[in-house]
Amino acid sequence: FRTTADGRYWVRAVKPVHYSIPDNGSVGDFTRALGRHGRRTVYLHYILSADGFETLVTHIFETNGPYIESDAVFGVKASLLCEYQEINDSQKAKDLNFKNPFLVSEHDFVLVRKK
């Protein structure tokens, strides 16, 4: 995907769901020893790059996703949260080739200039 000249972007994706990390072997032993569950909350991965900037590899979490307060890998922080808004607009859905209603989320990324 590429951004517009002003840095705007648009990505069509399927909303992710929470899932379990493997609980057999050492990972399961570790989470059980900590008294924690092995669930990941809802998120999307992003890799962003631009000439003259450091590449950013990150993920954005759904604000109200299950396990948001107890993600198994402790990856959630406030700056990585986004909310999904339901849009119920049959014409807009048709224009975008979506089923109605559909979800929209927004997040601004900031890249760091290379030194």
Side-chain angles (χ1 to χ4, degrees):
F1 299 97
R2 299 200 179 274
T3 65
T4 60
D6 64 354
R8 293 188 173 273
Y9 68 98
W10 186 93
V11 177
R12 180 179 177 167
V14 174
K15 183 183 175 204
V17 296
H18 60 87
Y19 65 94
S20 293
I21 60 173
D23 65 353
N24 56 347
S26 58
V27 172
D29 293 344
F30 181 70
T31 55
R32 282 187 294 280
L34 291 174
R36 294 184 55 85
H37 62 76
R39 305 292 295 179
R40 295 296 324 267
T41 192
V42 177
Y43 67 92
L44 285 171
H45 274 283
Y46 291 86
I47 302 173
L48 301 111
S49 62
D51 291 340
F53 292 86
E54 298 291 335
T55 296
L56 174 64
V57 179
T58 192
H59 42 288
I60 303 300
F61 298 92
E62 179 186 14
T63 302
N64 299 315
Y67 310 106
I68 195 73
E69 299 293 331
S70 61
D71 183 69
V73 300
F74 306 96
V76 179
K77 61 183 185 176
S79 63
L80 299 175
L81 297 176
C82 77
E83 291 188 35
Y84 288 90
Q85 176 186 4
E86 184 174 290
I87 306 295
N88 191 351
D89 181 331
S90 57
Q91 184 57 53
K92 189 168 188 173
K94 183 178 177 183
D95 293 345
L96 296 170
N97 196 27
F98 289 168
K99 291 181 180 177
N100 193 50
F102 59 96
L103 300 173
V104 171
S105 69
E106 293 185 18
H107 189 81
D108 292 329
F109 295 97
V110 178
L111 299 181
V112 175
R113 289 196 179 276
K114 288 184 178 177
K115 295 180 181 178

